[in-house]
Amino acid sequence: MSYFSRLTDIVTCNLTHLLDNAADPVKEIEQIIAEMNEGLAGANRSVKTAKANEQAIQKELQEHQEQVFHWKEAAKNSLAMGDETEARNSLVRKQEIEDLMAGLEQQHQAAVATCEHLTTTLHALQARLAEAKRKQLELTEKAGLTETSAQATPETSDEAPSLTSSRSEEIESELAALKRELGQ
C-alpha cells in the first residue's frame, strides 16, 4: 500500500492516525519511513536542480551586465571619434541587452522563490521523517523489538539528527539566544 502520492502528503500526514488503522504498526511505520526516504531523496534532487537553475540565471545576468558596459563604452568611443551612427547602433544593442536582462531578472526572482519554497518543503520533510523515526523507536520498544529494530535502522536512536551546516548554525544561534534569555 502506498501512503504518499505527493510530497505534501508526507508533510501533512498524521502518523498516529495512519498507524491507528494499521494491522501491524511496526511494519507499517517501516513502509512509511521507506516512502518518506524516497520523497526526501526526490526533494533533495529538486532543491539541487533549483539552486543550479538560479545560479545559471545569475551567471547569465552578470554576463549581460558586462555586455551592457561594453556597448556603452563602444557608444562613447564612437562619439569621441565623431561617428554618431555607430554610437547610436551601440546604444541600440545596449538597450536590447537591458530588455533581455529585465526578463532574466524576473526569471531569477522566480528561481529564487522556487528554491526557497523547495528548501522549506525539504526541511518539513526532514522534520516529518525525524518524527516517523521517533515513532518507529517508540513502537519497537513497545513491541519488544528494540534490538532488532535498532540494528535495522540505526538512525532511530536518540542521537541528534544530522543537520546541514546552515541548520546547525541556526540551532546554535537560537540556543545562544535562549541562554541569554535565561541569564546563563
Side-chain angles (χ1 to χ4, degrees):
M1 171 181 170
S2 179
Y3 286 97
F4 312 113
S5 60
R6 301 169 302 152
L7 293 179
T8 55
D9 292 345
I10 296 173
V11 174
T12 60
C13 77
N14 182 330
L15 289 174
T16 303
H17 177 71
L18 289 174
L19 296 172
D20 283 348
N21 298 326
D24 185 351
V26 174
K27 286 187 179 183
E28 296 298 316
I29 194 71
E30 289 174 6
Q31 175 65 30
I32 289 169
I33 288 173
E35 287 185 37
M36 286 180 170
N37 279 324
E38 289 174 19
L40 193 60
N44 274 314
R45 286 189 301 274
S46 295
V47 167
K48 287 179 185 176
T49 300
K51 284 181 182 179
N53 289 340
E54 185 270 328
Q55 290 170 349
I57 295 169
Q58 181 65 38
K59 182 180 178 189
E60 188 173 355
L61 279 167
Q62 290 169 346
E63 290 169 359
H64 288 307
Q65 187 62 45
E66 292 169 10
Q67 290 177 12
V68 165
F69 178 78
H70 165 77
W71 287 112
K72 186 175 182 179
E73 290 300 308
K76 284 181 186 178
N77 291 339
S78 295
L79 269 182
M81 295 186 336
D83 190 350
E84 197 172 303
T85 303
E86 188 59 34
R88 188 173 285 110
N89 289 339
S90 294
L91 291 175
V92 167
R93 293 291 307 272
K94 175 186 160 288
Q95 186 63 50
E96 289 171 350
I97 294 169
E98 287 173 338
D99 290 343
L100 176 60
M101 286 179 65
L104 284 172
E105 286 170 356
Q106 288 181 346
Q107 292 299 313
H108 184 256
Q109 291 171 357
V112 168
T114 297
C115 190
E116 289 173 354
H117 171 74
L118 290 172
T119 300
T120 299
T121 300
L122 174 65
H123 291 157
L125 293 171
Q126 290 169 332
R128 188 61 77 185
L129 179 60
E131 175 191 5
K133 288 179 178 182
R134 285 189 297 275
K135 188 72 168 173
Q136 180 183 37
L137 182 61
E138 177 185 313
L139 288 171
T140 54
E141 286 175 347
K142 283 182 182 176
L145 302 173
T146 306
E147 285 183 32
T148 57
S149 175
Q151 292 170 359
T153 56
E155 47 295 320
T156 60
S157 69
D158 288 331
E159 297 174 13
S162 63
L163 301 171
T164 62
S165 63
S166 64
R167 290 298 255 181
S168 183
E169 289 172 13
E170 288 176 28
I171 298 296
E172 290 304 317
S173 176
E174 191 172 349
L175 183 61
L178 287 172
K179 286 181 179 179
R180 285 190 302 274
E181 188 179 310
L182 293 174
Q184 293 183 350

